Amino acid sequence: MKKKSLTRDEIIHLAKLAGLSLTDSQIEKYKTQLEETISYIENLNELETKNVDPTSHTTLLTNVYFNDGEKNERALDLPAIFQNAKNKEKNYFKVSSIFDE
Amino acid sequence: MFLGQPLLSILELIKKKEVSSKEVFDYFLKRIEKYNPKLNAYLTVNRSYKSDRSDKIEMPVAVKDNFCTKGIRTTASSKVLENFIPPYESTVTRRLIDAGAFILGKTNMDAWAHGSSTETSDFGPTKNPWDLARCPGGSSGGSAAAVSSYLVPAAIGSETAGSIRQPAAWSGVIGLKPTYGRVSRYGLIAMGSSLDCPGPLTLTTEDAAFILKIIAGKDKFDATTVSNKVPDYVSLLKKKRKFIIGITDEYLNGVDEEIKNAFYQLVKILEKLGHRIKKIKLLSPKYSISVYTIIQRAEVSSNLAKFDGIRYGNDRTFFGSEAKRRIMLGTYVLSYGYYDAYYKKAQKVRTLIIEDFKKVFQKVDMILAPTTPIPALKLGEFEKYPFFGEMMDVLNEPAAIAGICAINFPFGLTKKDNLPIGLQLMGRWFEEENILNLTYQIEKETDFLGVIRKGVKNYPD
């Protein structure tokens, strides 16, 4: 098995993309584990796939539509929408600000 | 009183008014109080049963904790959703309730269904009812353990690749993974959206057929469900059918000797019953592991992106280590510059795996194989295996990747540790009735070598 390697910076970058905060020891741990995994999955290159189409769906469904103007029965009312929110004001979710003044 | 009675027998007793639904509910509640502290199969027990109508017919069913149940806490075994009360009902639980089910409780699982041991649950592992020092398998480990120890006659699990069949094998019960799209995923907390399938874990083939009939079918809230007619799976069991059954060495490599022996013992029985056994060739399951790892991690990283703690639940610092690992790898294989090398390559190999099954299914009606390479591991033992135990699902992943249906049934116990052995049948897309039919024939002929009855007996009233 060919060993693939990742840098610490790559791990930190991935965590940032995924919105995860990692400790130093976690960075090291995930680096080793991700390296192990991406080395294993290299075995796919043993298979020739040049003329193979990628699968889009296993049961070959195509084009599933809703009818125009159909009532959305999944819609929740406002109390249901907010019932699990920790931080809200009137009918809004409260989040920390993204931009400075 | 009803110890070991399958769901359909209990339903019969209620209909004949020999017992009331309330008595049944109280019976299982008592058993849960007695054994759940030891097994940790349930995370939430629903005590809200109302006995206002003595003639009401309600059957007890347990549901894995990744199905949204309106008003009943749903955590996916993660601290991120520790206090989440769904404001809506999943289609699976809605259909069960409409068919007269009472949701007895929500069962433990690997957090977000990430795992094959139920050890990654943020609420402690479930123990294997056959040996409390071992894993029940996973991720539907709580459902498998609850059925095996008769803390409920039937339960719902979900499978992305092995999460119904593998815990069913290790806990010694029946576990059916339907074809992708046969059962709605609406309200199921998504793991791998192109793979996830809800399905039943039961004590008898008839119960599995009965539950599948209730939950299967087109759902306008899940566009990936198909409009194929839902057959009457229970009555189709009784037809004496003969099948051509494929077996392949690719699924026996590295498999425990005792499991292999059980496999060959069953092959002989099937021949005696008049079925034809045919040697086939399939792609090595090792490629399915790679395809699964890439596609599933990719889908996980995207599905778990919505958990930000703003609208519900806790923020992303509450993710456990396994979820983080999967999100990281998924993010990697989808990131700029790697998409073609990993995700696209995996979807191409997925096509090869599907074609491979299609070719084989022209020659045989179904495939018989072991469900797991070894019997239940001890708690904590997964860490010792390379690739974090993904190998425990090696024999489950090809069917999941291809989206075909498959069923695990117990077939004997190991002499070494007295642990259940699980074998599986994999069938063509939307031919659940065939694998159920043969499982039923095996049940009638062998009683699964007594495994299910013995399992229940370990947990007297």
Side-chain angles (χ1 to χ4, degrees):
Chain A
M1 190 157 64
K2 211 165 63 209
K3 182 92 171 112
K4 290 274 232 175
S5 61
L6 290 167
T7 63
R8 254 183 83 86
D9 283 349
E10 280 177 298
I11 299 293
I12 293 165
H13 177 64
L14 287 175
K16 190 169 165 256
L17 286 177
L20 300 172
S21 47
L22 301 182
T23 62
D24 261 5
S25 68
Q26 280 174 330
I27 292 171
E28 279 310 310
K29 193 178 84 181
Y30 288 133
K31 182 170 148 10
T32 318
Q33 291 176 339
L34 293 193
E35 281 171 351
E36 188 190 344
T37 305
I38 59 173
S39 301
Y40 180 90
I41 60 186
E42 282 294 306
N43 71 11
L44 291 185
N45 292 322
E46 294 165 23
L47 299 171
E48 176 54 56
T49 53
K50 215 167 80 195
N51 299 315
V52 180
D53 286 332
T55 294
S56 60
H57 192 264
T58 52
T59 54
L60 305 175
L61 278 177
T62 48
N63 300 345
V64 180
Y65 300 115
F66 265 114
N67 290 327
D68 269 352
E70 211 169 273
K71 187 175 174 254
N72 180 5
E73 290 167 47
R74 285 177 292 186
L76 299 171
D77 58 15
L78 285 172
I81 288 169
F82 288 106
Q83 78 180 42
N84 285 287
K86 282 191 202 142
N87 216 350
K88 60 177 175 176
E89 198 170 309
K90 294 177 188 155
N91 287 334
Y92 296 98
F93 296 107
K94 266 174 94 170
V95 295
S96 13
S97 57
I98 306 170
F99 302 110
D100 295 328
E101 288 282 316
Chain B
M1 184 159 53
F2 332 99
L3 190 63
Q5 296 276 344
L7 188 64
L8 279 167
S9 308
I10 290 181
L11 204 55
E12 212 37 52
L13 291 173
I14 299 172
K15 279 184 184 157
K16 283 200 234 145
K17 294 194 192 300
E18 286 178 30
V19 290
S20 70
S21 296
K22 170 82 169 106
E23 282 171 292
V24 172
F25 172 73
D26 287 341
Y27 171 80
F28 283 104
L29 205 58
K30 228 169 105 185
R31 287 183 62 81
I32 291 168
E33 269 155 25
K34 185 169 176 184
Y35 290 118
N36 196 55
K38 214 157 62 173
L39 293 167
N40 198 27
Y42 285 92
L43 293 180
T44 304
V45 179
N46 181 9
R47 289 166 208 279
S48 69
Y49 190 85
K50 304 268 189 312
S51 60
D52 50 351
R53 277 175 51 196
S54 59
D55 61 337
K56 209 170 168 188
I57 294 173
E58 282 191 306
M59 51 187 179
V61 176
V63 177
K64 187 177 180 180
D65 209 23
N66 57 352
F67 288 88
C68 286
T69 39
K70 192 174 177 178
I72 304 174
R73 184 177 79 132
T74 299
T75 67
S77 283
S78 168
K79 290 256 157 119
V80 174
L81 294 178
E82 199 169 10
N83 301 307
F84 175 60
I85 311 285
Y88 70 98
E89 196 73 49
S90 76
T91 294
V92 164
T93 49
R94 162 60 47 220
R95 286 183 176 169
L96 283 167
I97 291 165
D98 289 348
F102 178 81
I103 309 294
L104 196 52
K106 304 295 293 291
T107 56
N108 199 7
M109 53 187 278
D110 282 292
W112 307 105
H114 297 168
S116 319
S117 69
T118 315
E119 285 176 299
T120 69
S121 167
D122 286 347
F123 305 105
T126 297
K127 313 286 173 58
N128 189 317
W130 285 85
D131 178 349
L132 298 179
R134 290 178 191 269
C135 302
S139 64
S140 310
S143 287
V147 173
S148 166
S149 59
Y150 206 56
L151 302 189
V152 74
I156 297 293
S158 68
E159 170 158 336
T160 308
S163 278
I164 290 175
R165 286 171 284 161
Q166 186 257 9
W170 280 10
S171 301
V173 295
I174 292 170
L176 171 69
K177 179 205 107 70
T179 309
Y180 180 82
R182 180 75 291 188
V183 180
S184 169
R185 295 176 294 113
Y186 178 65
L188 168 66
I189 296 171
M191 201 246 260
S193 303
S194 77
L195 299 148
D196 294 343
C197 298
L201 292 102
T202 60
L203 299 165
T204 63
T205 317
E206 240 182 324
D207 278 1
F210 172 67
I211 291 179
L212 180 63
K213 165 86 177 155
I214 294 170
I215 62 176
K218 179 85 186 154
D219 176 18
K220 66 174 167 182
F221 295 160
D222 175 359
T224 58
T225 52
V226 299
S227 43
N228 303 26
K229 197 172 160 280
V230 179
D232 185 8
Y233 296 112
V234 176
S235 67
L236 288 173
L237 292 179
K238 317 276 152 81
K239 272 195 177 171
K240 285 250 157 54
R241 301 190 47 197
K242 300 278 184 256
F243 296 106
I244 306 171
I245 301 150
I247 58 169
T248 171
D249 290 338
E250 294 292 354
Y251 282 68
L252 296 167
N253 288 338
V255 171
D256 175 271
E257 279 307 310
E258 292 207 68
I259 296 179
K260 259 197 237 177
N261 291 343
F263 171 84
Y264 285 117
Q265 187 188 347
L266 180 62
V267 165
K268 270 191 209 139
I269 292 169
L270 292 173
E271 281 176 327
K272 199 191 81 190
L273 289 173
H275 302 285
R276 251 180 72 205
I277 303 291
K278 203 169 175 165
K279 274 236 172 192
I280 51 163
K281 264 199 150 355
L282 275 173
L283 269 178
S284 166
K286 74 177 182 187
Y287 299 116
S288 291
I289 294 189
S290 300
V291 171
Y292 177 70
T293 301
I294 293 168
I295 292 172
Q296 188 261 122
R297 293 338 183 238
E299 292 180 8
V300 160
S301 70
S302 130
N303 276 325
L304 295 190
K306 65 175 164 280
F307 295 97
D308 52 16
I310 293 172
R311 291 150 304 153
Y312 53 87
N314 295 319
D315 65 51
R316 295 176 79 76
T317 59
F318 284 75
F319 276 122
S321 135
E322 180 67 28
K324 280 185 185 168
R325 173 158 67 213
R326 294 192 184 209
I327 293 170
M328 295 278 288
L329 182 63
T331 308
Y332 176 77
V333 298
L334 289 178
S335 54
Y336 179 74
Y338 293 112
Y339 174 84
D340 277 2
Y342 293 111
Y343 190 76
K344 203 170 167 193
K345 176 79 186 181
Q347 291 289 24
K348 285 180 162 198
V349 176
R350 188 180 202 175
T351 303
L352 293 181
I353 293 167
I354 292 171
E355 294 302 324
D356 194 37
F357 274 117
K358 275 190 183 155
K359 217 167 61 199
V360 161
F361 282 136
Q362 286 173 357
K363 297 178 206 136
V364 300
D365 297 311
M366 56 187 85
I367 300 159
L368 173 71
T371 308
T372 58
I374 53 172
L377 282 175
K378 292 199 173 111
L379 293 162
E381 222 177 355
F382 264 88
E383 294 275 314
K384 284 193 252 161
Y385 282 78
F387 215 20
F388 341 114
E390 197 69 54
M391 292 298 182
M392 293 309 137
D393 282 324
V394 57
L395 304 174
N396 298 149
E397 288 181 356
I401 295 292
I404 58 175
C405 59
I407 187 168
N408 169 80
F409 52 88
F411 202 69
L413 299 167
T414 61
K415 287 190 195 77
K416 194 167 157 254
D417 293 309
N418 200 44
L419 295 170
I421 291 170
L423 301 177
Q424 62 172 330
L425 291 166
M426 291 169 263
R428 295 187 192 102
W429 291 264
F430 305 108
E431 288 190 2
E432 283 80 1
E433 61 270 29
N434 290 350
I435 54 172
L436 283 163
N437 184 288
L438 188 60
T439 308
Y440 186 72
Q441 291 186 36
I442 295 166
E443 181 179 355
K444 290 298 139 195
E445 179 69 19
T446 68
D447 186 31
F448 303 128
L449 306 182
V451 177
I452 294 174
R453 272 185 304 102
K454 280 181 208 161
V456 170
K457 259 196 208 143
N458 292 333
Y459 292 83
D461 283 339

